[in-house]
Amino acid sequence: KNLQVTRLPRLNPHVLGTVYFRHTPISVIDMRSLLGISGSPPNKETQLLLVMEFNRRINGFVIDSVLGIRRVTWENFVPLDTCIDQGEQKSVTGTIAIEDRLVMILEMEQLMARIDPSSAFVNTKETPEAYKKNREDISIVYAEDSPLIRNFTIHKLKEAGFRTILTFSTGAQALEHIMSTDTEEIDIILSDIEMPEM
């Protein structure tokens, strides 16, 4: 069904406007624009509005079509090759192979930060000196697949006085390191709940 999109003043260039969804106004985001895909959609008549909740916010994403819906697991996830430089604003975090297709997994934290910078992590004021004692001697193993969250957290840990932080982008890499290391050498294990390869 055709939705009436209401245009609002001074919108982010990726936001088309707002629509009512289940009696609640939600932002309508142009996914082609957000991903930097130029040109017109193949068929405007078949475009869909994908409504999803992400980080407690509900948004609608205008997409070209749906080719299928599959249940996948983190075991199938392959992090993006580090030699593929996407610049500071990464759009893709990894891939999953489904039959003869390679499906790109979007870095939603980074994409949503382009729409609403307030949803991204922001620096808070400096940690008081009294809380920094002996932190440089603490060893941290940190597992996080999102580069945006990982870089922010590392920055905040270093700002708080921690110096020894070993990072991993998959759960399997972190676990392999932990299992091969003397546990007395690791003081803190910090991990995302859902991780690739685990």
Side-chain angles (χ1 to χ4, degrees):
K1 133 182 176 178
N2 289 333
L3 293 172
Q4 181 64 45
V5 178
T6 303
R7 189 94 179 127
L8 300 172
R10 299 190 340 189
L11 283 176
N12 179 290
H14 307 302
V15 178
L16 299 174
T18 185
V19 296
Y20 271 93
F21 175 77
R22 296 184 180 167
H23 311 292
T24 304
I26 64 170
S27 295
V28 177
I29 298 164
D30 183 352
M31 208 60 184
R32 293 177 71 86
S33 169
L34 186 59
L35 292 171
I37 300 171
S38 58
S40 300
N43 185 350
K44 274 196 160 240
E45 298 298 316
T46 61
Q47 283 188 309
L48 301 168
L49 185 67
L50 175 66
V51 178
M52 66 181 229
E53 182 177 353
F54 184 78
N55 285 350
R56 298 185 189 152
R57 296 184 185 206
I58 298 175
N59 291 295
F61 296 87
V62 175
I63 60 174
D64 290 345
S65 63
V66 175
L67 299 178
I69 298 173
R70 301 291 176 97
R71 182 178 295 275
V72 296
T73 65
W74 280 115
E75 285 84 20
N76 305 114
F77 178 86
V78 178
L80 200 63
D81 191 327
T82 53
C83 70
I84 300 174
D85 183 15
Q86 298 181 73
E88 288 185 14
Q89 297 191 346
K90 292 186 176 182
S91 298
V92 178
T93 187
T95 61
I96 291 180
I98 298 177
E99 296 168 1
D100 61 340
R101 291 181 179 270
L102 193 61
V103 178
M104 292 182 287
I105 307 302
L106 298 177
E107 177 62 57
M108 290 305 296
E109 287 93 351
Q110 187 69 261
L111 290 170
M112 291 310 296
R114 292 182 204 171
I115 301 290
D116 180 8
S118 70
S119 70
F121 301 106
V122 293
N123 286 329
T124 55
K125 55 186 182 176
E126 181 70 22
T127 305
E129 288 297 321
Y131 293 101
K132 294 186 179 181
K133 293 178 181 174
N134 301 322
R135 292 186 178 184
E136 61 274 357
D137 299 326
I138 294 173
S139 173
I140 301 173
V141 170
Y142 178 37
E144 170 59 64
D145 60 307
S146 167
L148 179 73
I149 295 174
R150 188 169 58 242
N151 291 337
F152 173 81
T153 306
I154 291 167
H155 172 76
K156 296 310 286 182
L157 287 169
K158 287 186 176 179
E159 191 178 80
F162 297 98
R163 295 291 171 258
T164 309
I165 308 163
L166 195 56
T167 62
F168 298 93
S169 60
T170 74
Q173 291 171 348
L175 181 61
E176 183 180 335
H177 171 76
I178 292 164
M179 298 304 285
S180 66
T181 304
D182 182 352
T183 54
E184 291 187 8
E185 294 178 19
I186 302 171
D187 298 300
I188 298 172
I189 299 171
L190 179 62
S191 179
D192 188 359
I193 293 172
E194 290 186 13
M195 287 290 291
E197 299 179 9
M198 291 291 288

